Amino acid sequence: MADQFHGGWAKTDLNLSVLPGAAYAAKRRSAVSERFPGERIIVPSGGLKVRSNDFDYAFRPHSAFVHLTAEQGTQAVPDSVLVFEPTGSGHSVTLFTRQRSPRGTGPNSTEFYSDRRHGEFWIGRRRTLSETADALGIEVATRDELEQAISRSIPTRVLRGEDTYVDALVPPIPQADAELVTFLSELRLVKDEWEIGRLREAVDCTVAGFTDVLSELGDATRHARGERWIEGTFNRRARLGGYGLGFDTIAAAGSHSCILHWMQNDGPVRDGDLLLLDAGAEADSFYTGDVTRTLPVSGHFTEAQRRVYDLVFAAQSAGIAALRPGAPFGAFHDAAMRVIAEELDAWGLRPYGTTASTPGPDLYRRYTLCGSGHMLGLDCHDCAGARDEAYSAGVLRRGHVLTVEPGLYFQPDDLTVPAELRGIGVRIEDDLVITSSGAECLSSGLPRSADEVEAWMASAR
């Protein structure tokens, strides 16, 4: 059978220009080299994960790997490994990866037509090694050469849990490996101009997805599982304008809006209910948006819905106003919670006997459930491995990108709130970049206030 596939193939090598993000990735690699002199650093991309039997989930490389290579969407190759090898003056950096399926008669020569996971006829063309080197501006070798390349016994740190082959090659040093995870996470805290540009693209695509949903909201009300219609409408835009989703879409109608991460999306969308849509498109660069809007399905808020919405809007506005370089990271949450606490106290809602002056993070948590925002970037909840003092207990810096997303969630069976408020969940979330004097809202293309939302919905009918 092999003879039927060998010979007769045209030469189709490509002349690729270096990707625009490669120069920025090189600076990040220099920062890694400077932080770990004399040590080998290994950062795998991760590999394919089985969905069921012989079908895999779509591949998405580890964010640290993307950050250090500027690799793009469909070009990312599973099982790639970035190795920093110490030299007298720093590090040489090599990307070990799978080359394009060979079509000769040597090793792996049957892969292109027989390998369901990696063969070109099954999953598409990969770049050649030289094409990858040209595109990423980095030295490239085959993955088969990895074991020999790291055989020299020197101190080595590994981003673990992403590649079982790499984990087996290098004995773990838990503290050293953990320090690497922390550094790679904190390296992403301040976004450079190229990253902010990619985040703008991701947020713009996200905003377009919300606009698509608005235009099809009426269609959603005609289906028993209208939340799925909403989900599908947004997801179509994410795939059309980017690589896909930054996270599973939350399309929560009615009392589902009180569930923070409602992703089953199997309920109806009814007139008179609210629709809480929390969604983000992931750009081809792997940077993601993360936006939430809560919409009255009928086009107009009821009196109770507007009461809750206006409070969340006031809280978010206070949180956004608190964003500036040098401010404590938690200041925007504190500002938002202060507004919520004072108003709920005025409403007479005092869970567990608390008042607006009750200190601590649990103030009104029964109704607010979680914090009011997080860092955003290659991960929706970006930089999660950073130390508290660099992130949650640190200060805001120019180039930080974060969400501000206070919410109120009155569960349908909560007897501590008036009956008219039960089953109402409202969250408003925007993506902001810290500037030299304050913050710029990247998602300003979507309305925020209740009046603006109603006018926006009227214009789409």
Side-chain angles (χ1 to χ4, degrees):
M1 180 176 178
D3 290 342
Q4 299 174 12
F5 289 91
H6 288 142
W9 302 108
K11 184 175 177 59
T12 56
D13 289 1
L14 305 174
N15 293 318
L16 299 182
S17 299
V18 64
L19 292 171
Y24 293 90
K27 292 179 181 178
R28 299 172 205 139
R29 294 195 296 271
S30 294
V32 174
S33 178
E34 183 178 350
R35 170 62 179 82
F36 300 106
E39 301 181 61
R40 178 186 294 128
I41 303 298
I42 301 179
V43 181
S45 70
L48 295 168
K49 294 178 174 61
V50 175
R51 183 187 184 279
S52 64
N53 192 27
D54 55 350
F55 286 93
D56 295 312
Y57 286 102
F59 176 61
R60 203 282 190 184
H62 192 281
S63 293
F65 177 88
V66 175
H67 196 232
L68 296 173
T69 60
E71 186 56 284
Q72 299 284 294
T74 56
Q75 295 298 320
V77 177
D79 305 320
S80 297
V81 183
L82 193 65
V83 176
F84 295 70
E85 190 70 17
T87 64
S89 59
H91 289 81
S92 62
V93 183
T94 304
L95 175 60
F96 294 86
T97 189
R98 295 180 184 275
Q99 62 181 327
R100 183 186 180 189
S101 299
R103 299 194 186 182
T105 56
N108 301 323
S109 61
T110 64
E111 177 190 84
F112 74 101
Y113 65 86
S114 66
D115 191 323
R116 294 171 179 259
R117 262 192 156 187
H118 303 292
E120 185 170 323
F121 285 6
W122 291 89
I123 54 96
R125 183 189 190 278
R126 290 189 297 273
R127 293 175 304 218
T128 66
L129 295 184
S130 61
E131 288 168 358
T132 298
D134 290 342
L136 301 181
I138 196 170
E139 184 177 339
V140 177
T142 66
R143 181 179 164 90
D144 295 339
E145 300 175 67
L146 175 62
E147 183 173 3
Q148 178 60 35
I150 63 173
S151 61
R152 183 166 64 106
S153 180
I154 59 173
T156 302
R157 299 177 190 251
V158 178
L159 179 66
R160 294 196 176 270
E162 299 301 319
D163 191 313
T164 55
Y165 175 69
V166 172
D167 287 348
L169 285 178
V170 184
I173 308 175
Q175 181 176 346
D177 293 340
E179 289 173 352
L180 174 62
V181 170
T182 297
F183 179 80
L184 293 177
S185 191
E186 293 180 4
L187 188 62
R188 301 207 306 273
L189 279 168
V190 175
K191 273 60 177 179
D192 58 41
E193 60 182 354
W194 183 83
E195 292 181 281
I196 293 172
R198 307 295 72 72
L199 281 160
R200 290 185 191 278
E201 292 173 350
V203 174
D204 286 348
C205 185
T206 300
V207 167
F210 276 73
T211 302
D212 291 346
V213 164
L214 195 64
S215 69
E216 298 192 18
L217 193 53
D219 295 318
T221 64
R222 292 189 282 273
H223 296 274
R225 296 199 290 182
E227 290 174 342
R228 294 278 173 92
W229 189 278
I230 299 298
E231 174 188 0
T233 299
F234 182 86
N235 294 6
R236 180 183 67 225
R237 173 62 65 174
R239 286 290 284 168
L240 182 66
Y243 189 61
L245 298 174
F247 53 92
D248 285 345
T249 297
I250 298 168
S255 62
H256 290 163
S257 63
C258 301
I259 302 173
L260 282 182
H261 288 168
W262 175 257
M263 295 176 179
Q264 296 181 41
N265 299 342
D266 62 352
V269 177
R270 300 187 179 97
D271 274 342
D273 284 345
L274 294 177
L275 169 69
L276 189 156
L277 178 61
D278 185 340
E282 183 177 77
D284 290 319
S285 59
F286 296 112
Y287 287 83
T288 186
D290 180 11
V291 174
T292 305
R293 287 295 184 269
T294 306
L295 309 174
V297 177
S298 67
H300 295 280
F301 294 98
T302 67
E303 182 179 351
Q305 291 168 351
R306 179 180 275 264
R307 184 182 179 195
V308 178
Y309 190 96
D310 285 346
L311 176 49
V312 174
F313 172 72
Q316 193 206 27
S317 298
I320 291 173
L323 298 177
R324 63 181 58 85
F329 176 82
F332 74 91
H333 171 70
D334 293 341
M337 282 303 304
R338 190 174 304 113
V339 171
I340 285 176
E342 290 175 353
E343 188 65 14
L344 290 185
D345 195 55
W347 293 0
L349 298 184
R350 299 182 178 92
Y352 313 118
T354 60
T355 69
S357 61
T358 301
D362 290 333
L363 181 64
Y364 296 105
R365 190 170 181 182
R366 182 183 181 104
Y367 309 138
T368 59
L369 297 177
C370 66
S372 300
H374 52 80
M375 292 294 187
L376 182 70
L378 283 166
D379 292 335
C380 175
H381 297 158
D382 207 24
C383 312
R387 297 165 296 165
D388 287 346
E389 58 265 35
Y391 184 171
S392 58
V395 299
L396 294 174
R397 298 170 58 188
R398 180 180 179 182
H400 281 171
V401 179
L402 69 159
T403 70
V404 177
E405 51 172 315
L408 278 172
Y409 313 95
F410 296 119
Q411 303 301 328
D413 57 349
D414 190 343
L415 300 181
T416 70
V417 299
E420 66 268 19
L421 297 182
R422 296 173 198 163
I424 293 178
V426 173
R427 181 165 64 250
I428 310 171
E429 178 182 22
D430 285 281
D431 303 337
L432 300 108
V433 56
I434 302 300
T435 65
S436 58
S437 59
E440 176 192 353
C441 183
L442 302 178
S443 49
S444 60
L446 292 176
R448 287 200 308 122
S449 74
D451 287 342
E452 290 171 342
V453 167
E454 288 185 345
W456 180 47
M457 297 185 73
S459 70
R461 290 180 182 272

